Amino acid sequence: MTTTVKGQPPSTEVRRRLAGDREPVLVSFSLGKDAIATALALSDAGIETHLVYLYAIPGLGFVDDTIDRLQDAWGITIHQYPHPSLWRMLNSLVYQPPERCSIIEAAQMPTLDYDATWRIIKDDLGFPQRTWVADGVRAADSIQRRASLTRHGVMKATSRKVSPIHDWLIDEVMGRIREADLPLPWTDPKRGVRLPIDYAWFGRSFDGVDERFIRPLRGHAPEDYQRVLDWFPLADLDIMRTDIVKDY
């Protein structure tokens, strides 16, 4: 069962067009449920895919575990590159102690947006700039996402971004992942679907260094928690801030 996005073709037609191009498609692979379902749907359509994970923090053990499991299951390589937010947070001195600020400023690291990041990735992997980049954006996720898909389209010719499961509902996403029977570490007790451990700890895929993510990491994966602090030493202050606000 699917939903309808006004003025846009159904996702079956989108995947048919991509298959008709007979060219590889890159997948912005966040390790979340929608990204996994996107990769599966494209594969079902006979489309050659190459998965790319953009990391906010390099070398997190629980992330590497999920990537290793999926690489082994699918017999592929999941390419890893820095997320644009990593550069942005470092250059903005997010959660940095005073003694690091001058060093970071002197480094003059680039601040890249998504488009620049994907241009670099395509060049590095040897793909032409016309290569489509697929994401797991779905209209049913929020009013904002539906409005964006309606306004900007599901196949954006200029940026070469495409949303191949934009009209899927959550049951279709979970159903396709269930069929795949992936060797992932956590089973959703409500739906019986195996998912990355992120969903047990955070309720979603890992996506930042604020209290929502680092508090569970501190309890479940102390080494990964310390890894976050290696990059953003004052991130644990967000736990303190949240606790103070709750007390009021």
Side-chain angles (χ1 to χ4, degrees):
M1 188 173 181
T2 60
T3 186
T4 300
V5 179
K6 184 178 180 181
Q8 299 302 314
S11 63
T12 50
E13 173 63 17
V14 171
R15 297 193 296 275
R16 186 192 68 78
R17 293 181 190 178
L18 293 173
D21 289 344
R22 299 184 181 278
E23 293 187 350
V25 171
L26 296 173
V27 179
S28 182
F29 198 64
S30 66
L31 304 181
K33 63 184 187 309
D34 294 329
I36 293 172
T38 296
L40 291 169
L42 291 172
S43 179
D44 291 343
I47 299 165
E48 178 187 339
T49 59
H50 297 264
L51 312 187
V52 176
Y53 174 71
L54 302 180
Y55 54 79
I57 303 289
L60 293 177
F62 75 96
V63 170
D64 288 343
D65 177 66
T66 296
I67 289 175
D68 288 345
R69 288 169 182 263
L70 291 174
Q71 288 183 145
D72 289 344
W74 288 337
I76 61 170
T77 296
I78 298 176
H79 306 282
Q80 298 191 52
Y81 293 91
H83 195 287
S85 66
L86 176 58
W87 306 115
R88 175 182 54 78
M89 289 190 295
L90 288 172
N91 286 328
S92 299
L93 306 178
V94 173
Y95 297 136
Q96 298 299 327
E99 62 270 19
R100 283 194 178 187
C101 295
S102 61
I103 298 172
I104 292 173
E105 290 173 341
Q108 296 185 330
M109 291 178 289
T111 298
L112 302 175
D113 60 17
Y114 280 95
D115 289 341
T117 297
W118 281 104
R119 286 195 297 270
I120 292 170
I121 291 171
K122 289 176 185 179
D123 282 343
D124 188 59
L125 294 178
F127 290 106
Q129 290 300 318
R130 68 175 182 273
T131 303
W132 287 101
V133 177
D135 59 41
V137 172
R138 295 186 300 112
D141 269 353
S142 67
I143 293 175
Q144 291 80 8
R145 287 195 168 184
R146 179 180 292 274
S148 178
L149 289 168
T150 301
R151 184 179 304 112
H152 302 294
V154 298
M155 297 187 78
K156 305 172 183 66
T158 301
S159 64
R160 305 301 286 177
K161 294 178 181 176
V162 60
S163 303
I165 62 166
H166 68 276
D167 56 1
W168 283 22
L169 301 180
I170 188 63
D171 285 345
E172 189 162 8
V173 169
M174 292 301 200
R176 183 61 191 90
I177 297 174
R178 185 183 301 110
E179 290 175 5
D181 193 24
L182 299 171
L184 295 171
W186 183 69
T187 301
D188 183 337
K190 180 179 179 180
R191 297 179 181 271
V193 177
R194 297 189 69 79
L195 295 170
I197 198 65
D198 308 42
Y199 286 90
W201 294 350
F202 319 122
R204 54 172 297 173
S205 56
F206 180 75
D207 189 31
V209 296
D210 58 86
E211 183 268 345
R212 297 171 302 160
F213 299 102
I214 62 172
R215 187 192 297 272
L217 273 185
R218 185 174 66 177
H220 294 291
E223 291 185 1
D224 286 336
Y225 172 71
Q226 183 57 53
R227 182 72 169 169
V228 172
L229 296 185
D230 289 343
W231 283 85
F232 300 97
L234 301 183
D236 57 345
L237 292 180
D238 202 47
I239 297 176
M240 183 185 300
R241 179 191 63 82
T242 304
D243 289 340
I244 291 173
V245 171
K246 287 178 179 178
D247 288 341
Y248 285 93

